[in-house]
Amino acid sequence: MREPIRTRPEPLDLPVRGESADESFARLVDGFRRFRTEVYPEQQTLFARLAKAQHPRAMFITCADSRIVPELITQSSPGDLFVTRNVGNVVPPYGQMNGGVSTAIEYAVMVLNVQHIIICGHSDCGAMKAVLNPDGLQRMPTVRAWLRHCEVARSLVEQNCGCGGDHLGVLTEENVVAQLDHLRTHPSVAARLAGGQLAIHGWVYCIETSEILAYDARSGRFAPLDGDGQLPVATPAPRYASA
């Protein structure tokens, strides 16, 4: 039986604007001390097991935004999620930039044998705001270059969407779909998808309401993850699955 995760014994206050660097760091150290003295002793058996191996249920690719906590959102324990974070929850197409994201995907699939890969965007995403208004990136050349992986989503929205005032929300969803397409270019992923050994998922998490909308490949739309009926799934039909 897996122990439920505990984030902290008591919620800490949100950072206060004007808080000094020393005060901010002191809060982190205080949190670590409480983890060692209050949280860790209650889950020592779990950590002893994790010290020897990891068997995550899923790979979770999401934004580096500090408001997104995959383990909290999914109520997962340590060891359940193999998490990769970057600006804009980007997955570069295979071969274009075989860096940290590509390496993590290959390791998760080939070594850890994860059965699910989740790409999770979120509301009020600064990266998506930058894609819509790139002028603000002039002093951040590496961010600008990285967000070129979102260009397909921007072009799609610009040329096809009568979004009214919700360009940000639609772009956030389309960026998740675009990154799912990029994910499928990775050989390790493509092979496991074709054999029915891997499932992929595209989510958008709303910070304010806690809602998750999930992409459904059958309908081509996003639907509530906790809605009635069949779960939305982005996985293509396997072509070589065993009978």
Side-chain angles (χ1 to χ4, degrees):
M1 186 74 179
R2 287 178 178 265
E3 296 88 343
I5 188 171
R6 290 184 58 193
T7 53
R8 50 176 70 98
E10 298 175 1
L12 295 176
D13 294 334
L14 289 173
V16 178
R17 187 175 295 275
E19 185 178 66
S20 72
D22 287 344
E23 289 170 335
S24 295
F25 189 65
R27 285 180 176 270
L28 299 180
V29 174
D30 180 60
F32 163 68
R33 286 173 175 153
R34 295 201 295 180
F35 167 75
R36 290 261 350 242
T37 59
E38 299 176 39
V39 178
Y40 172 79
E42 293 183 2
Q43 302 193 56
Q44 195 165 354
T45 302
L46 170 64
F47 287 110
R49 187 168 66 248
L50 292 176
K52 298 177 176 62
Q54 62 168 322
H55 303 286
R57 288 192 167 107
M59 182 179 192
F60 201 102
I61 303 172
T62 192
C63 189
D65 193 297
S66 62
R67 299 167 293 178
I68 312 306
V69 186
E71 292 84 359
L72 182 63
I73 295 168
T74 62
Q75 284 297 282
S76 297
S77 294
D80 284 348
L81 298 179
F82 187 72
V83 179
T84 296
R85 305 180 69 138
N86 64 71
V87 173
N89 41 273
V90 163
V91 176
Y94 183 79
Q96 286 196 18
M97 186 183 291
N98 290 329
V101 180
S102 301
T103 302
I105 290 169
E106 191 169 80
Y107 185 82
V109 173
M110 302 298 293
V111 178
L112 299 178
N113 293 309
V114 296
Q115 295 178 304
H116 300 272
I117 299 178
I118 300 161
I119 298 177
C120 185
H122 65 94
S123 62
D124 194 48
C125 181
M128 295 302 98
K129 292 178 181 178
V131 171
L132 288 173
N133 301 286
D135 291 345
L137 296 175
Q138 296 306 314
R139 295 168 55 191
M140 294 183 282
T142 57
V143 176
R144 184 173 67 246
W146 178 253
L147 291 180
R148 286 176 186 154
H149 295 298
C150 306
E151 183 66 18
V152 62
R154 187 200 63 77
S155 296
L156 189 152
V157 172
E158 184 179 81
Q159 297 181 34
N160 294 284
C161 178
C163 308
D166 191 28
H167 283 80
L168 180 61
V170 176
L171 177 65
T172 300
E173 292 184 357
E174 291 298 342
N175 182 58
V176 168
V177 177
Q179 304 314 318
L180 285 169
D181 290 340
H182 293 171
L183 179 64
R184 292 170 61 185
T185 68
H186 289 249
S188 58
V189 172
R192 296 287 174 95
L193 286 173
Q197 301 159 322
L198 179 68
I200 59 175
H201 311 269
W203 294 358
V204 174
Y205 167 68
C206 180
I207 296 169
E208 184 174 5
T209 66
S210 80
E211 180 183 31
I212 290 179
L213 297 178
Y215 181 66
D216 186 75
R218 295 159 297 200
S219 65
R221 298 180 180 276
F222 282 80
L225 183 63
D226 56 353
D228 297 329
Q230 198 170 9
L231 279 173
V233 177
T235 311
R239 296 167 51 216
Y240 294 97
S242 302

